[in-house]
Amino acid sequence: MPPLSSLDEHALKELVAAELEAARDRSLGLTTEALDEPELTAQVSPLMSPLVWDLAHVGNYEEQWLLRAAAGVEAMRPEIDDLYNAFEHPRAERPSLPLLPPREAREYIAAVRAKVLDSLDAVRFDGAEPLTARGFVYGMVVQHEHQHDETMLATHQLRKGAPALLDPPQAPAPARDTAPADEVLIEAGPFEMGTSDDPWAYDNERPGHIVDLPAYYIDTEPVSNAAYLAFMEAGGYDDPRWWHPKGWEWRCTTGKRAPAFWTRDGGRWLRRRFGKVEPVPMDEPVQHVCWYEADAYARWAGKRLPTEAEWEKAARWDPDTGRSRRYPWGDVYEEGRANLGQRMLRPSPAGSFPSGASAYGVRRMLGDVWEWTSTDFHGYPGFRWFPYKEYSEVFFGHDYKVLRGGSWATHPLAVRGTFRNWDFPIRRQIFTGFRLARDAEGA
């Protein structure tokens, strides 16, 4: 995809229309085209909404922002706004709401989409209105739908029964080689963190600002299943020395002793992946571990989780040019450099996508697994919420840890080197892993 700043208004609107349709095709493929009505309306876990809620929610969000706010069109279904307001109804209670049934939900979101496309020509993408400048609000809605698609994939992973999603029949094998070293040194010095000029970046990615870091080492690859299994076999889950006090409390309360969806069968470990049980692939990044597990592993390994700033500098900063890139490899997204967009229903094996390395040679910082950092979620200096507080600001504080980099389930439009995700440190249903860092001696 070309840089948004290089597109004139006509080309940008063509891109918006195409990406709206692509996101919708993906949403339907995860809902009404994959499951029958009872499974769409059921709740597989109190952590997740019924899939039919997500489906109607993306349409209601689109109606509110692209029809009412951007195009000034009269509300279509204002009576359902409360039902699909994520802040009014926690996920655990959504099955009890009078939700639109699947067929009606699909008809509703199709009607919204038709009006959005009809009104697109009349909306100006100039800089006079921040909401529509460079198509920001349209990019926000596209990203929002893709984020819910990733949430839908987490719901699919939690559901029981026969597989509804199948691996692509001819998924191309990613290019692979051997990483040059287990870790690389990131030299001390300042870099630009965040962004002030990315047209579709969220408020929590702004403003761009200078951060000066001491030297540190960071792993060139995320921690693998094989490495994590060594921690398990060494008694890592049974030794409180490695655990944060709240993490040890979580471990003792839950009884967890392995990543989510792992089971032991005799002398081997298996995992359940979208209804299919298979041997744990030892060369893939470990997935479905919470922050406490990642932190315990890091202590056991004699290292630590990187801070959010350390992660971003290793991913984006180019010491030769003295500037931060939009992606680890450059400013333009290119297929084949990262495992993104649900093209594989799993992380890629170690050594994959060498062409996606950062300027420092750090691999797979976008795609494969979301990576836990040690940082609590807060706004950057000078943060201002836009266009609504509930996207970021209400989550700031010590309760949430920042995740970076996206996963195999994240769409390329919904992630970049500045993108910030966050969640509770006990969450494991999301597609999370981690890599390690350590201080440089004498730094």
Side-chain angles (χ1 to χ4, degrees):
M1 186 182 76
L4 298 176
S5 58
S6 70
L7 301 178
D8 61 26
E9 183 165 308
H10 176 73
L12 189 53
K13 287 183 176 181
E14 287 189 332
L15 174 68
V16 162
E19 294 299 340
L20 283 168
E21 290 301 291
R24 183 54 45 79
D25 288 344
R26 187 183 182 201
S27 298
L28 295 176
L30 293 169
T31 55
T32 59
E33 295 174 3
L35 296 168
D36 57 20
E37 182 165 335
E39 290 210 82
L40 293 173
T41 57
Q43 185 178 51
V44 302
S45 164
L47 295 174
M48 312 304 291
S49 308
L51 287 168
V52 74
W53 185 94
D54 287 288
L55 184 64
H57 169 76
V58 297
N60 183 252
Y61 187 90
E62 182 174 341
E63 183 197 342
Q64 293 188 51
W65 285 106
L66 300 191
L67 290 183
R68 303 181 203 175
V73 174
E74 184 178 354
M76 293 173 58
R77 297 287 301 271
E79 76 279 5
I80 68 172
D81 289 352
D82 177 76
L83 294 177
Y84 297 102
N85 184 332
F87 291 92
E88 290 294 327
H89 303 286
R91 288 175 175 175
E93 71 176 44
R94 290 173 190 170
S96 64
L97 300 175
L99 303 176
L100 300 182
R103 181 176 178 179
E104 188 176 351
R106 185 164 179 167
E107 290 172 349
Y108 165 62
I109 66 173
V112 170
R113 175 57 53 79
K115 286 194 174 186
V116 166
L117 295 177
D118 286 344
S119 65
L120 185 57
D121 283 343
V123 179
R124 298 274 65 85
F125 283 8
D126 59 35
E129 171 51 59
L131 191 65
T132 54
R134 303 303 300 160
F136 167 79
V137 72
Y138 291 85
M140 182 182 81
V141 168
V142 169
Q143 292 179 82
H144 173 264
E145 185 153 352
H146 279 304
Q147 288 163 349
H148 273 271
D149 291 339
E150 183 161 356
T151 299
M152 293 177 194
L153 281 164
T155 302
H156 274 274
Q157 173 62 17
L158 284 163
R159 67 178 283 273
K160 304 293 174 61
L165 304 176
L166 302 176
D167 288 304
Q170 295 180 333
R176 296 179 64 182
D177 69 2
T178 302
D182 291 338
E183 61 182 8
V184 295
L185 173 67
I186 311 296
E187 296 181 351
F191 81 105
E192 184 184 17
M193 185 173 185
T195 180
S196 295
D197 56 10
D198 193 313
W200 286 6
Y202 282 106
D203 57 6
N204 64 52
E205 301 171 62
R206 304 173 185 272
H209 57 290
I210 301 300
V211 177
D212 197 352
L213 294 175
Y216 62 98
Y217 288 91
I218 192 166
D219 287 3
T220 55
E221 291 268 355
V223 170
S224 69
N225 285 320
Y228 196 83
L229 181 58
F231 164 71
M232 293 164 56
E233 292 179 337
Y237 276 88
D238 298 313
D239 192 334
R241 288 182 299 165
W242 313 128
W243 293 81
H244 185 286
K246 290 184 178 178
W248 184 245
E249 180 183 357
W250 169 85
R251 210 290 296 163
C252 293
T253 301
T254 64
K256 303 300 184 187
R257 286 184 170 80
F261 309 111
W262 284 32
T263 57
R264 187 153 195 171
D265 179 26
R268 63 175 183 165
W269 283 96
L270 306 175
R271 72 174 181 188
R272 181 170 59 82
R273 183 176 62 88
F274 298 109
K276 177 183 178 181
V277 177
E278 59 192 14
V280 172
M282 291 299 159
D283 60 350
E284 287 184 9
V286 67
Q287 187 177 224
H288 297 301
V289 289
C290 72
W291 186 90
Y292 291 126
E293 291 168 295
D295 179 64
Y297 176 95
R299 294 168 192 263
W300 171 81
K303 294 187 177 184
R304 58 177 173 79
L305 297 178
T307 66
E308 182 183 13
E310 288 173 337
W311 188 99
E312 185 169 326
K313 184 177 183 179
R316 298 184 61 220
W317 185 246
D318 184 345
D320 292 333
T321 63
R323 58 181 297 272
S324 290
R325 302 168 171 178
R326 192 169 196 259
Y327 303 103
W329 56 84
D331 292 325
V332 178
Y333 182 78
E334 298 174 75
E335 292 289 345
R337 292 185 183 268
N339 180 15
L340 289 163
Q342 199 184 323
R343 287 168 176 79
M344 298 189 291
L345 293 178
R346 61 196 303 158
S348 60
S352 298
F353 302 103
S355 66
S358 74
Y360 291 103
V362 186
R363 309 290 187 89
R364 295 192 290 167
M365 298 200 83
L366 289 192
D368 286 302
V369 289
W370 287 102
E371 298 185 15
W372 289 111
T373 73
S374 64
T375 302
D376 296 338
F377 187 47
H378 290 285
Y380 290 154
F383 168 85
R384 290 186 175 184
W385 62 262
F386 178 78
Y388 59 107
K389 284 185 178 182
E390 290 80 8
Y391 181 72
S392 299
E393 190 175 69
V394 298
F395 298 100
F396 291 165
H398 300 299
D399 292 338
Y400 295 91
K401 293 293 184 181
V402 174
L403 300 115
R404 286 304 205 104
S407 75
W408 60 264
T410 308
H411 192 272
L413 272 176
V415 73
R416 51 204 154 263
T418 57
F419 188 88
R420 309 173 75 198
N421 193 5
W422 64 95
D423 214 329
F424 292 114
I426 62 171
R427 289 291 185 252
R428 308 206 306 168
Q429 83 277 13
I430 51 180
F431 305 108
T432 52
F434 60 100
R435 75 178 67 223
L436 302 183
R438 65 180 177 93
D439 297 340
E441 294 180 7

